[in-house]
Amino acid sequence: MADGSVVTTFDPYAVRAQFPILSRQVNGRPLVYLDNAASAQKPRAVIDALTATMEGGYANVHRGLHTLSNEATEAFEKAREIVARFLNAESPEQVVWTKGGTEAINLVANGLGLQIQPGDEIIVSEMEHHSNIVPWHLLRERRGAVIRWIPVRDDGSLDMAAYADLLGPKTRMVAVTHMSNVLGTINPVAEISRLAHAAGAQVLIDGCQGAVHATPDVQAIDCDFYVLTGHKLFGPTGIGALYGKAEALEALPPYQGGGEMIETVEQDRVTYAKPPHRFEAGTPPILEAIGLGVALKWLTQYDRAAVQAHEHALYQHAVDRLQGQNWLRILGQAEGKGAILTFAVEGAHAHDVAQIMDRYGVAVRAGLHCAEPLAKRMGVTSSTRASFALYNTVEDADAFVDALIKARNFFV
Ligand SMILES: *Cc1c(COP(=O)(O)O)cnc(C)c1O
């Protein structure tokens, strides 16, 4: 840290060595993996935990009264506790397993939809991922909800004054991302929550990026709901979590019906289990949940501030080296942003840029990044994105810049 108050021993090379995939080659070059905002790679600890569970402690959860089921149940519920601690939730009962970030938001939107009146308003921002837009569009189409948009300023920050003006007596929900998967902007989510609550609205924070790169403290943010996805947190696919305040979850009707989410089922009536089980119909993603727990334990062994500083240093190194390249337009330069570098190359399509970079072993994403309204707002039809994680190194950042300049030279 700049003030010298934290001594870090963070070593990205030691982290990197724990990821088997990072030592492979792509197109005859060492892999430079910079598509972390789309999905992160998995450390040995997670890979081994999944194998060990399948080999030694697997059965369905909650059902059996036999040893394996009890062991699996214990590991599964332990993982829920780990997520609760990771989010600084008051209790594991506030953590609902979902299959990812998308399902978590749909779960909330679906429940809210049953209670919404035509003309009720949902506020989102122009920088949302489609996962935090389309579920609200469904409420617009099916229930007559009105979607209102917080504008994004030219630097990639939210226009908070405009946000304050959007809030009103009809606002039911404010659903905003903690961190933009395109611009890297980290939003003032505690302030967003405070203003929404003052207007009597609920708040959902999409933490699919924020949980990885910012501080996902749900009590400090004071949100009603917080969403994360496992595969971006170095865990398996097919697992995510919805945090909800106890009273917010209690007020939410069930999402899907099936086994394990009920209290009693009769021919002419049904009663539901308490949260979180009310929202977990059917056999849950058992292995995936256990894997996510292991991933979070693995991740939190590192000092979060040191990791963020490391990622940001890589981002800054790449930006500094690209200084003065007037063919390059970087999208998003908000104060305090995270390590996502999204850009447009003059005269080249983003897909072509990414494909040429792949020839040099550099994996980046190109397109709309599931955020079409944001692309429109920033005035681009597509862009290319390099997103850094804790296992990236300064060599990766250099390989990225070198490959980008070669790609650019291809088009002039
Ligand atoms: C990845 C992402 C999502 C969707 O998560 P899934 O795991 O694909 O369901 C939602 N919001 C943001 C900001 C994301 O980055």
Side-chain angles (χ1 to χ4, degrees):
M1 302 288 282
D3 65 3
S5 61
V6 179
V7 180
T8 79
T9 53
F10 181 74
D11 174 4
Y13 299 95
V15 172
R16 193 179 178 80
Q18 299 172 57
F19 287 75
I21 204 170
L22 295 179
S23 58
R24 72 162 274 185
Q25 303 233 317
V26 167
N27 297 323
R29 313 277 182 130
L31 168 63
V32 176
Y33 188 76
L34 295 174
D35 196 17
N36 296 289
S39 205
Q41 300 299 344
K42 321 305 174 197
R44 173 61 70 196
V46 171
I47 299 167
D48 287 351
L50 291 177
T51 308
T53 305
M54 284 186 279
E55 286 182 352
Y58 177 77
N60 209 331
V61 293
H62 302 302
R63 303 246 159 86
L65 294 169
H66 60 84
T67 303
L68 283 188
S69 174
N70 293 342
E71 285 177 12
T73 303
E74 201 173 302
F76 177 74
E77 291 302 332
K78 180 108 202 130
R80 196 191 301 273
E81 283 169 31
I82 293 169
V83 173
R85 217 172 312 128
F86 180 72
L87 294 174
N88 193 29
E90 293 91 339
S91 140
E93 259 85 73
Q94 296 172 309
V95 174
V96 178
W97 294 120
T98 64
K99 77 176 164 72
T102 302
E103 189 179 50
I105 298 171
N106 276 279
L107 191 163
V108 175
N110 208 271
L112 185 73
L114 297 170
Q115 303 158 349
I116 217 156
Q117 302 299 320
D120 281 353
E121 295 178 358
I122 314 287
I123 295 180
V124 300
S125 86
E126 286 181 335
M127 68 171 79
E128 298 312 310
H129 189 284
H130 292 164
S131 292
N132 196 26
I133 297 175
V134 184
W136 311 114
H137 264 312
L138 294 176
L139 296 197
R140 182 186 58 73
E141 289 183 342
R142 295 172 183 172
R143 308 287 308 181
V146 174
I147 304 178
R148 310 198 67 188
W149 299 80
I150 308 171
V152 170
R153 297 191 297 194
D154 288 341
D155 72 347
S157 62
L158 286 182
D159 185 336
M160 289 294 284
Y163 165 55
D165 287 343
L166 288 175
L167 287 162
K170 285 185 173 274
T171 313
R172 295 293 306 278
M173 173 64 79
V174 175
V176 173
T177 194
H178 194 170
M179 172 175 168
S180 165
N181 64 309
V182 179
L183 306 169
T185 311
I186 295 175
N187 289 316
V189 284
E191 177 66 3
I192 288 169
S193 265
R194 196 181 64 75
L195 291 168
H197 288 152
Q202 284 197 312
V203 179
L204 177 144
I205 301 298
D206 174 357
C208 289
Q209 300 293 335
V212 191
H213 304 287
T215 310
D217 181 334
V218 293
Q219 292 190 63
I221 298 168
D222 192 32
C223 49
D224 299 279
F225 300 103
Y226 192 94
V227 168
L228 61 75
T229 189
H231 67 96
K232 294 179 186 174
L233 278 162
F234 314 98
T237 52
I239 187 72
L242 171 70
Y243 156 86
K245 280 188 177 172
E247 60 273 23
L249 288 178
E250 197 53 62
L252 209 58
Y255 177 47
Q256 295 178 329
E260 299 297 321
M261 53 77 72
I262 48 80
E263 209 171 59
T264 61
V265 182
E266 296 167 40
Q267 286 199 350
D268 56 358
R269 58 175 238 130
V270 57
T271 57
Y272 304 113
K274 292 207 156 311
H277 301 292
R278 180 192 297 169
F279 306 106
E280 296 177 356
T283 298
I286 302 166
L287 290 164
E288 292 79 358
I290 292 170
L292 175 56
V294 172
L296 293 180
K297 273 191 95 160
W298 175 85
L299 177 62
T300 50
Q301 74 184 294
Y302 300 106
D303 178 68
R304 303 301 303 279
V307 168
Q308 285 163 22
H310 168 69
E311 292 171 348
H312 199 264
L314 299 180
Y315 166 85
Q316 199 57 51
H317 178 77
V319 169
D320 289 349
R321 274 198 59 197
L322 290 163
Q323 208 61 246
Q325 305 288 354
N326 58 11
W327 45 268
L328 186 77
R329 183 178 158 213
I330 295 175
L331 305 180
Q333 313 247 23
E335 183 83 19
K337 69 170 277 186
I340 291 180
L341 177 46
T342 299
F343 54 90
V345 174
E346 194 185 84
H349 193 281
H351 283 136
D352 297 331
V353 172
Q355 273 168 15
I356 295 170
M357 293 181 76
D358 181 59
R359 292 186 203 163
Y360 298 99
V362 179
V364 292
R365 169 110 190 247
L368 293 165
H369 316 290
C370 298
E372 195 174 345
L374 179 63
K376 193 162 185 197
R377 159 63 186 92
M378 301 313 276
V380 294
T381 50
S382 68
S383 57
T384 309
R385 176 183 72 191
S387 46
F388 296 90
L390 73 173
Y391 46 57
N392 290 122
T393 62
V394 71
E395 288 79 9
D396 289 343
D398 278 329
F400 159 72
V401 172
D402 294 342
L404 174 56
I405 288 170
K406 284 184 188 133
R408 149 72 182 172
N409 289 339
F410 201 85
F411 293 99
V412 290

